[in-house]
Amino acid sequence: MTLTINQDRLLRELHHLATLTDCPQSDPTTTAVTRIVFTPRDLEARAYIASLATTAGFHLRTDPIGNTFIRWPGTQPELPAIGTGSHTDAIPHAGMYDGTVGVLGGLEAMRALKESGFTPRRSIETLMFTSEEPTRFGIGCIGSRLLGGSISPAIADALTDRLPETDPRAPTGLTLHDVRTAAGLTASLTTVPLPPHYYHAWVELHIEQGPLLEREGIPIGIVTNIAAPASYRYEITGFGGHAGALLMPDRRDALTAAAELILSVERHTLATNAASHSSDSVATVGTVAVHPGAINSVPSRVTLTLDIRDTDVSRREAIMAALHADIRALEARRNITITEHQINADVPATSDPHILATLETICNSESIPYKKMVARAYHDTNFIAPIAPVAMIFIPCRNGVSHRPDEYATPESIALGTRVLALALAKLTNEV
């Protein structure tokens, strides 16, 4: 088989997809993409991907949440399929490569194999997931969560539409059910979960979103583990008052207590990494809301959110246990109250040894240097892992930058990653 990745076609499609954005292009040297799920730009992107798939002669199916399946039937279509894919929705002011490389790269891998004369035994499928980003409904990977059974259809349909937070023109009070119905997806979400053994293997292509491959000059990353977060919302309640009249000994300042809580998160995460001789534990307090928010008023209430991620659930839970001990001590010492609400606690994914060995064999046979590595960002593959053997392929991105307009992967890196993916799909599809 002589396999040729059409780099020009793939890049042309990536650049066209980037024009489907709600973000004004103020900087000609970068590409800013805002494409929130189920907005007009997202629906345009879906239609564009569908047109490419049908032009290539593949079968198309869309489920009630909008997951789009691009299928190349094999000679034994009754066998579990080989899957790949990613997402095309984008957070506000993001870049043009996150997720899209996996969707268009998956499609190009299938086209390249077909154009080479290859015949698959198992069907091959590229999947465009719905709502990998949490922008609109407050939780990421909705499409893959539903496919893998990690969220119930009823809970998913009841998720609140947060688009008014970024677009004041959007109607308020809507749910996911309302929004998807308006987009023409009216069937019940109970039909979304995939049946057992739907996939024989799953491989996702993605930019690294970190600096290691570029820093070390390695063209391909083979992902062994995918970290997963637990997310929490905290409300710290103290006692407010006039900044001049409320004396220091009498204060129950919610913001200073929040500062201690944030530093506690950092301290225990660093200590856990030191003890495990790794960097796999990460924790971030990304939002802080102070009430009443006036320079001359002592804060009486603070709300903050915590994202804590690891490849090892027990390590993540150990950090939380240490944090909870600090919270109890903080409440007693400062005479404040801290209320915790867990938003989610997802399970890390471990790549399948056989798929990893397949990817290593391909890289060795093609003389492609590779690095076995951990994925620390969220991916839809996390939620396919409970129902199928999975792995991921990473390609370098410039300076490790992602979720920004200056996100960039070279055409050569994209084409090489697509080639490795295509060769993996070819090997896996013909397995007994």
Side-chain angles (χ1 to χ4, degrees):
M1 176 180 66
T2 301
L3 182 69
T4 301
I5 301 299
N6 191 327
Q7 179 176 306
D8 291 341
R9 174 173 61 189
L10 178 53
L11 266 291
R12 186 169 61 249
E13 292 166 354
L14 277 165
H15 281 280
H16 178 76
L17 190 60
T19 67
L20 307 179
T21 174
D22 282 316
C23 198
Q25 300 302 316
S26 57
D27 183 350
T29 66
T30 63
T31 301
V33 177
T34 298
R35 194 163 49 236
I36 299 172
V37 68
F38 294 135
T39 61
R41 297 297 81 73
D42 177 65
L43 298 178
E44 287 178 13
R46 291 166 178 274
Y48 177 60
I49 298 296
S51 71
L52 297 177
T54 53
T55 298
F58 299 127
H59 296 187
L60 204 64
R61 175 176 76 88
T62 301
D63 69 15
I65 193 61
N67 293 316
T68 301
F69 298 77
I70 302 167
R71 192 174 183 90
W72 182 13
T75 57
Q76 293 183 254
E78 72 280 1
L79 293 175
I82 307 301
T84 188
S86 196
H87 65 100
T88 57
D89 64 314
I91 67 169
H93 301 275
M96 61 173 280
Y97 300 94
D98 173 23
T100 58
V101 166
V103 175
L104 287 170
L107 176 60
E108 176 59 26
M110 289 169 57
R111 287 184 303 206
L113 288 169
K114 186 178 181 182
E115 291 164 2
S116 75
F118 179 79
T119 300
R121 179 169 178 261
R122 299 172 181 272
S123 298
I124 301 177
E125 205 165 62
T126 292
L127 177 50
M128 179 174 63
F129 291 103
T130 288
S131 196
E132 195 266 359
E133 303 292 3
T135 308
R136 184 154 194 181
F137 297 104
I139 186 171
C141 302
I142 295 174
S144 53
R145 286 178 192 270
L146 283 163
L147 289 172
S150 298
I151 188 172
S152 78
I155 290 174
D157 250 347
L159 291 170
T160 301
D161 182 12
R162 299 187 178 188
L163 188 59
E165 296 176 11
T166 57
D167 184 357
R169 300 166 298 176
T172 59
L174 299 182
T175 64
L176 172 58
H177 179 269
D178 300 325
V179 173
R180 71 178 181 88
T181 299
L185 302 168
T186 57
S188 171
L189 293 185
T190 57
T191 64
V192 173
L194 293 175
H197 311 298
Y198 183 88
Y199 285 124
H200 173 71
W202 171 272
V203 185
E204 180 176 1
L205 172 65
H206 209 282
I207 60 170
E208 181 193 350
Q209 298 180 285
L212 299 182
L213 292 176
E214 183 187 56
R215 184 179 294 164
E216 298 175 27
I218 299 174
I220 292 291
I222 298 177
V223 174
T224 58
N225 302 81
I226 308 172
S231 304
Y232 299 85
R233 183 179 297 109
Y234 290 93
E235 185 170 286
I236 300 98
T237 305
F239 182 79
H242 193 285
L246 187 56
L247 301 180
M248 298 303 287
D250 299 325
R251 295 205 175 187
R252 296 159 54 199
D253 188 322
L255 183 55
T256 54
E260 282 201 51
L261 177 61
I262 294 168
L263 290 173
S264 174
V265 169
E266 181 183 62
R267 182 173 65 255
H268 292 303
T269 305
L270 289 171
T272 297
N273 280 330
S276 63
H277 304 288
S278 78
S279 300
D280 289 344
S281 303
V282 292
T284 305
V285 174
T287 67
V288 179
V290 181
H291 179 82
I295 190 172
N296 60 344
S297 183
V298 177
S300 61
R301 186 176 70 252
V302 173
T303 303
L304 57 84
T305 55
L306 167 65
D307 176 306
I308 177 168
R309 305 186 183 215
D310 210 316
T311 56
D312 185 328
V313 170
S314 62
R315 247 191 337 240
R316 191 177 73 189
E317 291 177 346
I319 294 172
M320 291 306 301
L323 178 63
H324 289 152
D326 280 0
I327 286 173
R328 291 190 292 270
L330 189 57
E331 287 179 312
R333 178 163 43 82
R334 287 189 170 270
N335 193 21
I336 48 90
T337 301
I338 300 176
T339 304
E340 176 186 281
H341 169 69
Q342 186 180 78
I343 301 169
N344 66 286
D346 294 316
V347 179
T350 301
S351 296
D352 177 73
H354 173 66
I355 302 177
L356 292 178
T358 299
L359 294 172
E360 289 187 71
T361 298
I362 290 167
C363 287
N364 289 330
S365 65
E366 296 276 313
S367 299
I368 302 170
Y370 64 90
K371 176 184 179 67
K372 296 173 80 170
M373 61 193 307
V374 170
R376 292 184 170 83
Y378 239 161
H379 297 287
D380 286 301
T381 296
N382 281 78
F383 302 99
I384 298 299
I387 59 169
V390 303
M392 293 186 70
I393 301 166
F394 275 174
I395 59 171
C397 54
R398 185 172 57 196
N399 298 324
V401 166
S402 184
H403 281 195
R404 287 175 17 184
D406 54 337
E407 176 182 273
Y408 179 76
T410 67
E412 295 76 17
S413 290
I414 295 168
L416 182 62
T418 302
R419 178 176 179 81
V420 173
L421 174 64
L423 292 171
L425 297 178
K427 277 185 174 291
L428 294 166
T429 188
N430 284 336
E431 290 181 340
V432 177

